[in-house]
Amino acid sequence: MDWVERILRIRQHTQHGVRAPHKPLLLLLALARFQRDGDRPIPFSAAEEPLGRLLTEFGPPRSTSPGYPFHHLTNDDKIWVVETPDGTGSPGSGLSKLRRPGVQGRLHPDLAHALTADPSLVGQLARALLEANFEPSLHDDICQEAGLDLEGIDLPAPTERLLPPRDPRFRMRVLEAYEYCCAFCGYEGWLNGTAVGLDAAHLQWRSYGGPDQVDNGLCLCTLHHRLLDRGVLGMTQDRTVAVSRKFIGRTAATLKLVHELSGRPVSEPQSGLPTPNALHIDWHTAQVFRSPAREPAAA
């Protein structure tokens, strides 16, 4: 049985580019618990808070109950089981029923057996879930929040089975288009003739149909790339920087590096090269950015 393929086939509502990583986040949490505790069941009362935090931090910018994936993952074949004291199976996704004593979830016995037999499988499944659902800049943060330890695991990207290979020219094309300067803050830096601290960021994530094309990319410094992927920063159709009102920072450095970006024009690429596509901007605004945006600082 190919568990990577099975995990990647879990049913998610992803029509029209909608992000729905609720089941993957539950599975990442369950894999972390398996690493630590083995095949012990996870009471919903113990999973609710950490799963809710993962959904808030890394899920789409809309409210989602942790009861939704805890229950609905049981509909995927031999992945997840919910147990109750009376043996009737999952009571549904309602929090009041899931919070009753004795309601607990666990990885399906077949999957747990496979994980026990092959310790590297935890890393394979975790990498598959991360690659298929999240931008690379978020992987370490998600693992840390879930409690997953993937140190020392170096595996080929399993989602090449589902996604086209990354275009190795994408980064260079985007950095050249923006002349090796962050489109948000203007940072540029070089070490021995090599640009450092600059990334080619996707507006619409590859895992949700975003192409490796200049009109879906921005040259950003590593800080602003990560904040873009976390939904702290966004881009308006007027080509200005949006800063989430939900992001809080009080130091002078935070005000300068983040808050003061609000309303600042995003740098244009070189003449003759495509500007960010409106559809990709809309996708990021709807699926990643943590609205509402702050009002630009008074001049």
Side-chain angles (χ1 to χ4, degrees), residues 57-99:
E57 293 296 320
F58 303 105
R62 56 184 183 271
S63 178
T64 305
S65 166
Y68 176 87
F70 201 90
H71 163 68
H72 286 286
L73 189 55
T74 62
N75 296 325
D76 290 273
D77 186 36
K78 294 188 176 181
I79 300 293
W80 179 252
V81 177
V82 173
E83 303 168 338
T84 56
D86 60 9
T88 56
S90 177
S93 60
L95 292 179
S96 60
K97 293 182 179 179
L98 288 171
R99 287 170 178 163

Side-chain angles (χ1 to χ4, degrees), residues 245-265:
R245 194 186 298 171
K246 297 178 181 179
F247 176 77
I248 305 299
R250 301 181 179 87
T251 67
T254 303
L255 294 175
K256 181 176 179 60
L257 293 172
V258 183
H259 291 178
E260 291 180 9
L261 292 178
S262 181
R264 180 181 295 184

Side-chain angles (χ1 to χ4, degrees), residues 77-148:
D77 186 36
K78 294 188 176 181
I79 300 293
W80 179 252
V81 177
V82 173
E83 303 168 338
T84 56
D86 60 9
T88 56
S90 177
S93 60
L95 292 179
S96 60
K97 293 182 179 179
L98 288 171
R99 287 170 178 163
R100 290 174 180 171
V103 177
Q104 56 192 19
R106 66 194 317 156
L107 296 173
H108 189 279
D110 289 355
L111 176 53
H113 177 76
L115 292 168
T116 301
D118 180 5
S120 72
L121 186 57
V122 169
Q124 294 179 49
L125 299 185
R127 293 251 178 179
L129 291 164
L130 291 167
E131 288 283 342
N133 293 279
F134 304 98
E135 283 292 275
S137 72
L138 303 179
H139 293 182
D140 288 345
D141 290 347
I142 294 171
C143 288
Q144 182 175 354
E145 187 66 46
L148 261 172

Side-chain angles (χ1 to χ4, degrees), residues 177-178 213-217 239 268-277:
Y178 288 87
Q213 296 176 357
V214 171
D215 69 355
N216 187 39
R239 304 298 196 273
E268 295 283 327
Q270 293 186 47
S271 177
L273 293 177
T275 58
N277 186 296

Side-chain angles (χ1 to χ4, degrees), residues 2 4-5 8 123-132 155-163:
D2 190 330
V4 171
E5 290 285 359
L8 291 175
Q124 294 179 49
L125 299 185
R127 293 251 178 179
L129 291 164
L130 291 167
E131 288 283 342
L155 300 167
T159 50
E160 289 181 358
R161 310 178 197 188
L162 296 183
L163 300 177

